[in-house]
């Protein structure tokens, strides 16, 4: 068996075992009936968190910033021509926005036809509000949200331009590093011979970091096992059959339609590639995304699969994948659109079609603004709630959607995050393949 297959089977084994062990450990009654056992139970769960988050995610995150910087510089310097960079950049951005809008649209069709919010009782609504009151971490993040769509745009631009590049890198902020690396890459391409020395240096550094990725990737089976066991032990798979189950089904069906129909169509039409072969080549990245809930932490594996298994050029991968891991989130856009309409339904609010269109647009904006980390989409979703509220009050409606409504979906967020992050990474991968194909086609025409 080749080492790639061995690793694939091990990761799959880790995921399945994580689900089983997590479910076996899940016991909602521990807190009430057996305080001693609860303590031991919590220690086991904390051990999973230590292995999954502190060790595995820690190592991946350690590689992310240097990898983003070098891969973007290598991508930009190998594009070389400024106009070509502009063309690739615009194709990439149009692809991101169009696919996110389609994803949000799919979510809206499903949530308005399945109407999961209408199955929620007033006790469950009250319980959700209580959950929100207890979720102090989420409340703090929500309090710092930008005001409305313009506020979100403003904060995005503010995030992109770093005042202090070292501080941004130290804080693990991807967008400012990408921005700086793009302009540094452009500067290097204007330097002639001396620039070549620099770009070769960055290319060598990129390869050195990829050697580290090859090593860390072998920890993925243990890492995803621990993370999944930790998640499932706390939440339990029983949530799928609870009152919120239909909401979860709407999100999951939407994500499946987007991943298995829409993105494959893009792959066939614009990249002229068999989407399922490509999905297979990207399998380790997709499974890592499922296990880690983080597009950013998965980035090293995504770059590795795209460049080594699927022969995407460093040029396309270096430009599209790092940017995509923080901006392009189809799964998150779909999830936010479904979640907000679900909450509105649970609170007995009817949203007119014009508001639904606005929900699709703001969900896309909010997904762009979400970082590639666990539960980021849950927090930026509040921007969509704000927009819904301001249109409702503009229509003279006094009954608005309270922010505490978010409590209704907090409990199952992590489970849905696993799937939407996988779709986010799959969307980035398809984007890289499209840009790769356009670029290779153009080079062939010039020759
Ligand atoms: N966890 C997602 C990601 O990293 C973002 C989100 O939707 O919360 O892509």
């Amino acid at each position: 068996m080749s080492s790639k297959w061995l690793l694939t089977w091990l990761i799959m084994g880790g995921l399945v075992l994580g689900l089983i062990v997590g479910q076996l450990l899940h016991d909602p009654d521990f807190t009430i009936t057996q305080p001693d056992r609860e303590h031991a139970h919590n220690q086991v769960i904390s051990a999973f968190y230590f292995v999954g988050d502190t060790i595995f995610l820690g190592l991946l995150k350690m590689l992310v910033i240097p990898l983003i910087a070098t891969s973007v510089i290598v991508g930009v310097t190998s594009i070389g021509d400024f106009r070509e960079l502009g063309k690739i950049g615009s194709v990439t951005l149009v692809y991101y926005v169009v696919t996110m809008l389609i994803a949000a649209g799919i979510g809206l069709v499903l949530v308005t036809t399945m109407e999961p919010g209408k199955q929620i009782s007033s006790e469950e609504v009250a319980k959700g509000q209580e959950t929100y009151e207890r979720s102090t971490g989420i409340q703090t993040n929500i309090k710092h949200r930008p005001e409305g769509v313009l506020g979100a745009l403003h904060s995005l631009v503010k995030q992109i331009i770093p005042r202090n590049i070292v501080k941004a890198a130290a804080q693990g902020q991807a967008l400012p590093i990408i921005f700086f690396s793009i302009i540094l890459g452009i500067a290097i391409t204007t330097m002639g011979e001396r620039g070549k020395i620099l770009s070769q240096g960055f290319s060598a550094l990129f390869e050195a970091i990829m050697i580290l990725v090859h090593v860390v990737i072998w920890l993925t089976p243990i890492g995803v096992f621990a993370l999944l066991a930790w998640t499932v032990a706390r939440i339990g798979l029983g949530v799928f059959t609870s009152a919120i189950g239909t909401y979860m089904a709407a999100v999951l069906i939407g994500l499946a339609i987007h991943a298995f129909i829409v993105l494959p169509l893009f792959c066939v039409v614009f990249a002229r590639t068999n989407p399922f072969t490509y999905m297979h080549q990207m399998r380790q990245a997709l499974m890592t995304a499922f296990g880690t809930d983080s597009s950013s932490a998965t980035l090293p594996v995504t770059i590795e699969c795209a460049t080594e298994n699927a022969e995407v050029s460093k040029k396309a991968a270096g430009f599209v994948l790092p940017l995509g891991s923080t901006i392009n989130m189809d799964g998150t856009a779909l999830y936010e659109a479904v979640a907000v309409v679900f909450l509105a339904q649970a609170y007995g609010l009817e949203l007119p079609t014009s508001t639904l269109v606005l929900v699709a647009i703001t969900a896309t904006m909010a997904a762009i603004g979400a970082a590639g980390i666990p539960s980021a989409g849950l927090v930026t979703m509040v921007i969509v709630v704000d927009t819904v509220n301001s249109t409702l009050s503009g229509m003279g409606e006094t009954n608005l959607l309270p922010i505490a409504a978010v409590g209704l979906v907090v409990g199952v967020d992590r489970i849905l995050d696993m799937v939407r992050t996988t779709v986010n990474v799959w969307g980035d991968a398809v984007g890289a393949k499209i840009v790769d194909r356009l670029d290779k086609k153009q080079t062939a025409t010039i020759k």
Side-chain angles (χ1 to χ4, degrees):
M1 191 192 290
S2 74
S3 60
K4 270 184 194 144
W5 268 111
L6 176 66
L7 183 60
T8 304
W9 284 113
L10 287 174
I11 299 177
M12 248 189 287
L15 289 172
V16 174
L17 214 67
L19 277 177
I20 297 172
V21 171
Q23 183 59 20
L24 289 176
L25 279 175
H26 177 71
D27 185 346
D29 297 332
F30 265 135
T31 28
I32 313 156
T33 52
Q34 296 149 309
D36 290 348
R37 281 186 60 198
E38 191 214 339
H39 179 67
H41 177 250
N42 284 345
Q43 293 224 313
V44 174
I45 296 181
S46 306
F48 284 141
Y49 188 71
F50 178 74
V51 174
D53 190 84
T54 313
I55 299 184
F56 173 59
L57 277 185
L59 283 168
L60 277 180
K61 284 183 191 162
M62 172 185 87
L63 299 174
V64 165
I65 292 294
L67 193 61
I68 289 180
T70 52
S71 65
V72 173
I73 292 173
V74 170
V76 173
T77 49
S78 45
I79 293 170
D81 179 358
F82 196 63
R83 266 173 311 174
E84 203 194 325
L85 179 68
K87 220 186 277 170
I88 289 187
S90 4
V91 169
T92 308
L93 291 181
V94 169
Y95 166 80
Y96 289 165
V97 175
V98 169
T99 49
M100 277 191 274
L101 280 172
I102 294 176
I106 294 172
L108 287 178
V109 171
L110 283 167
V111 74
T112 45
T113 44
M114 290 169 75
E115 300 192 318
K118 300 221 164 131
Q119 296 167 19
I120 301 296
S121 65
S122 49
E123 290 87 62
E124 262 142 357
V125 167
K127 237 197 275 168
Q129 297 215 5
E130 246 173 64
T131 310
Y132 178 78
E133 305 303 335
R134 276 187 273 117
S135 315
T136 41
I138 290 172
Q139 280 183 43
T140 317
N141 283 332
I142 285 177
K143 258 186 215 132
H144 292 108
R145 73 185 181 278
E147 289 259 329
V149 179
L150 281 183
L153 258 181
H154 180 233
S155 102
L156 192 70
V157 175
K158 220 166 123 190
Q159 271 181 55
I160 292 174
I161 305 173
R163 280 162 195 247
N164 180 339
I165 190 71
V166 180
K167 189 171 165 202
Q171 291 175 339
Q173 295 170 15
L175 274 182
I177 306 299
I178 293 174
F179 175 73
F180 180 73
S181 306
I182 290 177
I183 55 175
L184 185 65
I186 294 174
I188 291 174
T189 55
T190 64
M191 286 173 66
E193 274 312 303
R194 269 157 40 88
K196 276 204 183 114
I197 303 174
L198 266 178
S199 59
Q200 278 166 3
F202 278 116
S203 181
L205 190 56
F206 170 73
E207 278 163 30
I209 298 165
M210 287 308 287
I211 293 178
L212 296 180
V213 173
H214 287 160
V215 178
V216 174
I217 222 173
W218 281 93
L219 289 178
T220 313
I222 302 175
V224 294
F225 160 75
L227 286 169
L228 225 71
W230 173 72
T231 305
V232 177
R234 287 175 313 123
I235 302 170
L237 296 176
V239 285
F240 283 101
T241 54
S242 66
I244 214 166
T246 316
Y247 153 72
M248 296 177 79
V251 175
L252 295 178
I253 294 171
L255 290 174
I257 294 175
H258 194 72
F260 292 110
I261 299 175
V262 177
L263 288 175
L265 275 177
F266 271 84
C267 207
V268 171
V269 176
F270 298 107
R272 299 255 174 256
T273 297
N274 180 332
F276 299 105
T277 309
Y278 186 46
M279 197 183 265
H280 181 69
Q281 289 164 331
M282 295 302 301
R283 64 193 179 275
Q284 286 160 4
L286 301 176
M287 288 191 283
T288 308
F290 186 82
T292 58
D293 289 3
S294 170
S295 307
S296 290
T298 308
L299 182 65
V301 192
T302 317
I303 294 183
E304 148 103 11
C305 290
T307 53
E308 308 223 339
N309 300 353
E311 288 168 7
V312 173
S313 68
K314 276 191 207 159
K315 207 191 226 185
F319 190 74
V320 184
L321 295 175
L323 200 60
S325 72
T326 117
I327 285 189
N328 182 39
M329 299 201 180
D330 299 0
T332 304
L334 186 149
Y335 156 80
E336 300 202 7
V338 174
V340 171
V341 177
F342 162 72
L343 295 178
Q345 289 168 351
Y347 278 73
L349 299 168
E350 284 291 333
L351 301 183
T353 314
S354 58
T355 310
L356 290 178
V357 172
L358 216 58
V359 166
I361 297 169
T362 18
T364 300
M365 296 286 312
I368 291 176
I373 55 172
S375 291
L378 180 71
V379 176
T380 59
M381 189 175 94
V382 181
I383 299 171
V384 190
V385 175
D386 284 340
T387 312
V388 167
N389 280 341
S390 48
T391 52
L392 286 179
S393 52
M395 291 183 310
E397 179 69 70
T398 47
N399 195 8
L400 302 179
L401 191 56
I403 298 296
V406 173
L408 209 53
V409 293
V410 166
V412 294
D413 181 67
R414 188 87 197 194
I415 296 238
L416 295 177
D417 200 0
M418 300 191 300
V419 190
R420 67 179 189 255
T421 307
T422 312
V423 177
N424 290 346
V425 170
W426 174 224
D428 299 339
V430 173
K433 197 71 184 173
I434 291 174
V435 168
D436 185 52
R437 144 101 188 159
L438 292 181
D439 178 54
K440 283 181 181 149
K441 199 170 125 195
Q442 199 172 28
T443 318
T445 323
I446 293 167
K447 274 183 189 159

